[in-house]
Amino acid sequence: MKKIILTLVFVSIAQFGFSQTADDAFKKDVMKVIERSGSAGQMSAAKKKILAMIPQEKQAAFLVEFDALTPKLYENMSKVYMEVYTKEDIKAMLAFYDSPVGKKMGEKAGEISEKSMEATQELSGEIQTLVMKYMQ
């Protein structure tokens, strides 16, 4: 009986160890997808937009704190990706981001994000007017 229990314990430990290694590999691939998708460029565009609202004398301190949050954001994003996508999905995304078009998307993500924010800002007045019209 002791041998059976010990065997089950060792099998469980081995399975847990293998599972953790597989999850680590999955997470590494997810982090590559996040990186190659241009998330850093999008964060840079957002940081630039926010930085313009911060007084000049406080910008250096803001940048230090903002940059310290970035790894936490990517960590949280990786958890979401791992819940939503399969390992096969992530492998397919990596293959895409390794293609010429995928590389271009990653490189241009910050520029697209910045221009999209500008376009949205241009329409914000019209959207606000529309919302006010229907709220009454």
Side-chain angles (χ1 to χ4, degrees):
M1 184 67 173
K2 287 182 182 179
K3 289 181 182 181
I4 293 173
I5 293 174
L6 282 174
T7 302
L8 287 175
V9 168
F10 285 123
V11 169
S12 298
I13 291 171
Q15 181 65 26
F16 177 74
F18 176 74
S19 172
Q20 203 158 9
T21 303
D23 286 347
D24 289 346
F26 183 34
K27 185 173 182 178
K28 284 180 184 177
D29 284 346
V30 166
M31 294 302 273
K32 287 179 191 174
V33 166
I34 292 169
E35 175 190 327
R36 292 179 189 171
S37 69
S39 289
Q42 293 169 348
M43 284 296 292
S44 179
K47 180 169 57 173
K48 184 177 172 183
K49 201 77 162 159
I50 297 167
L51 194 60
M53 296 183 279
I54 306 289
Q56 183 74 34
E57 64 275 3
K58 296 180 180 180
Q59 288 183 0
F62 167 79
L63 289 172
V64 168
E65 290 189 49
F66 187 91
D67 290 342
L69 291 175
T70 305
K72 291 178 186 177
L73 172 66
Y74 294 152
E75 179 69 26
N76 290 344
M77 287 173 65
S78 72
K79 291 175 185 174
V80 172
Y81 275 57
M82 291 172 74
E83 288 174 11
V84 174
Y85 297 114
T86 66
K87 293 174 185 174
E88 293 76 24
D89 293 336
I90 295 297
K91 294 284 186 194
M93 288 179 205
L94 283 173
F96 170 73
Y97 285 119
D98 285 337
S99 74
V101 173
K103 287 177 183 177
K104 186 174 183 178
M105 278 186 69
E107 291 166 4
K108 299 290 184 180
E111 181 181 346
I112 294 293
S113 181
E114 195 171 320
K115 290 181 178 182
S116 295
M117 281 189 262
E118 290 170 10
T120 302
Q121 234 175 356
E122 288 177 16
L123 287 176
S124 66
E126 291 179 46
I127 293 169
Q128 187 175 17
T129 302
L130 180 66
V131 170
M132 294 304 293
K133 175 183 171 182
Y134 286 96
M135 284 182 65
Q136 297 176 2

